[in-house]
Amino acid sequence: MSQYGKITCTGKYIPKKQVTNDALSQFMDTSDEWINSRTGIRSRHVVTDENTSDLCTKAALNLLEKSKLTPETIDFIIVATITPDYQMPSVACQVQAGIKAINAFAFDISAACSGFVYALSIGEKMIRSGYNKGIIIGGETLSKTLDWDDRSTAVLFGDGAAGVVLEANETQHILAESLHSDGSRGGSLTSGFIQNNSPFYEKKEEQSNWLEMNGRAIFDFAMSDVAKDIREVLDKSEHDVDYFLLHQANIRMIDKMARKLKLPREKFLTSMEKYGNTSAASIPILLDEAVEAGTLTLGTQQRVMLTGFGGGLTWGTMLLTL
Ligand code: ACO
């Protein structure tokens, strides 16, 4: 008999330190008015003594506590992140050790702000191939990639981790998905350049390893490619969508996306006000917030669309029933 993946639990971990726009304006030439009017962000959380693996492990422990699953029943762990503690071991292997999921295989994927949608897609295929239980997490400490002297990027991002338990069941819950990449436009959003320092390498010009972006190009990319993708998935599907959970980069993007697609704005959930842009963590944080608030309830067949977009460039849309 065929089996499919179903989200059976959501969870998260947000680092304690909250940094408001006013707090940023104490040491940066910015203001709550500038940040809030252009982005919808009012505050973000930033790690003080934790790294991505700590956030993801605590999110995974939250998932185990809520789902009442024991760690040894987990078959796989996938973490979507662009801010791992190390290149190796992966964050997912650190989570596996931290929660004692001794029977799980674990790996990270790198697809920036589309990472959670990509990881959920991979996880669902794992379930279809016979595994029974997986943990999928998006987790980031973007604060360590930012040039804190650059007000044009430092105000936009935040840290956090969130995820889901994916379990086998007989009903297909992911109704449609559409994943894309365009590496030729990757220069619009970069971070974490790793310098080659071998004695044989001929050094070229210095390259920054801070997060850098062309904000206008990213905005235009979202309004063209991402909007087109959402429209195509909607048109191909016979289903109405109850809620849209888009990557939380900027409220003006969400407002414009709703207008462009001629969809009711109230169907678009947001949480960037509290958390800023948390890249791969933004969609699962939003999902868990909506479940905690009672807007979404697992097991009710509500239909939600998850859409990630960002560095790579990457983008992806998934239509699923809860
Ligand atoms: N506080 C005060 N002033 C600022 C700040 C700040 N934090 N940042 C920039 N400014 C100034 C600039 O120096 C500039 O001043 P100038 O005109 O004197 O040179 C002015 O504000 C306008 O700067 P722009 O960069 O043109 O600001 P814009 O209005 O385009 O807003 C923003 C920037 C919000 C990032 C916009 O480009 C945008 O919405 N981009 C969408 C992409 C996005 O949000 N990306 C996030 C990450 S990507 C992702 O997750 C997929």
Side-chain angles (χ1 to χ4, degrees):
M1 195 191 304
S2 300
Q3 62 176 28
Y4 304 91
K6 173 178 168 36
I7 294 174
T8 56
C9 184
T10 67
K12 68 174 173 309
Y13 175 79
I14 306 295
K16 299 284 168 293
K17 186 166 183 61
Q18 186 187 20
V19 180
T20 61
N21 293 343
D22 284 334
L24 286 181
S25 68
Q26 302 295 310
F27 64 94
M28 205 182 279
D29 183 14
T30 190
S31 64
D32 178 51
E33 199 284 318
W34 193 97
I35 302 169
N36 188 31
S37 64
R38 280 173 177 74
T39 69
I41 298 166
R42 304 214 76 134
S43 75
R44 71 287 295 140
H45 289 251
V46 176
V47 291
T48 52
D49 60 351
E50 296 167 304
N51 210 327
T52 300
S53 66
D54 301 304
L55 308 191
C56 292
T57 300
K58 289 170 188 171
L61 287 171
N62 183 237
L63 284 167
L64 290 178
E65 192 188 325
K66 282 164 111 177
S67 65
K68 311 233 179 326
L69 291 173
T70 52
E72 63 277 8
T73 63
I74 304 298
D75 297 316
F76 62 88
I77 299 168
I78 309 176
V79 172
T81 187
I82 50 166
T83 49
D85 306 19
Y86 302 97
Q87 288 172 349
M88 72 177 173
S90 65
V91 174
C93 281
Q94 292 173 281
V95 171
Q96 189 241 11
I99 66 169
K100 302 187 173 54
I102 50 172
N103 296 311
F105 61 91
F107 61 95
D108 291 355
I109 68 138
S110 169
C113 311
S114 313
F116 183 74
V117 175
Y118 274 47
L120 197 54
S121 169
I122 296 167
E124 215 263 339
K125 278 148 196 103
M126 294 287 177
I127 300 274
R128 287 190 195 210
S129 75
Y131 296 101
N132 286 311
K133 291 180 177 51
I135 286 180
I136 319 283
I137 292 176
E140 307 282 10
T141 47
L142 291 157
S143 59
K144 68 189 184 191
T145 70
L146 299 173
D147 175 357
W148 285 92
D149 291 327
D150 176 9
R151 65 180 181 173
S152 70
T153 51
V155 303
L156 302 176
F157 298 92
D159 301 337
V164 298
V165 173
L166 201 61
E167 291 189 67
N169 84 124
E170 289 167 18
T171 316
Q172 191 170 345
H173 282 262
I174 295 183
L175 305 175
E177 66 172 42
S178 173
L179 307 180
H180 303 270
S181 304
D182 180 1
S184 73
R185 287 183 277 166
S188 308
L189 191 49
T190 57
S191 103
F193 178 71
I194 300 166
Q195 181 64 53
N196 186 328
N197 65 358
S198 94
F200 312 105
Y201 181 70
E202 289 175 30
K203 229 182 187 164
K204 303 186 187 92
E205 65 200 69
E206 283 285 308
Q207 198 168 328
S208 161
N209 60 2
W210 299 124
L211 187 149
E212 292 184 341
M213 71 164 191
N214 178 339
R216 177 45 54 191
I218 296 296
F219 201 101
D220 292 345
F221 148 67
M223 292 311 134
S224 54
D225 304 83
V226 181
K228 180 166 168 276
D229 193 39
I230 295 176
R231 173 49 62 206
E232 281 173 6
V233 173
L234 284 174
D235 288 349
K236 270 192 238 153
S237 151
E238 294 148 20
H239 311 286
D240 268 351
V241 174
D242 295 304
Y243 288 102
F244 294 83
L245 283 71
L246 269 57
H247 167 54
Q248 300 289 292
N250 187 309
I251 203 140
R252 293 197 305 191
M253 279 183 176
I254 309 262
D255 294 342
K256 194 161 176 193
M257 191 70 89
R259 284 200 303 275
K260 194 174 165 93
L261 294 170
K262 299 191 173 47
L263 293 165
R265 173 63 179 82
E266 58 275 16
K267 286 191 171 192
F268 288 73
L269 304 181
T270 63
S271 67
M272 85 278 282
E273 306 84 354
K274 284 160 70 180
Y275 303 115
N277 178 345
T278 55
S279 191
S282 87
I283 293 174
I285 289 175
L286 182 61
L287 181 62
D288 185 61
E289 290 259 309
V291 170
E292 294 273 298
T295 311
L296 299 178
T297 308
L298 301 179
T300 57
Q301 310 300 314
Q302 279 173 307
R303 276 188 282 270
V304 299
M305 185 171 269
L306 310 183
T307 302
F309 49 92
L313 298 178
T314 57
W315 63 108
T317 285
M318 184 178 274
L319 176 63
L320 50 93
T321 53
L322 295 181

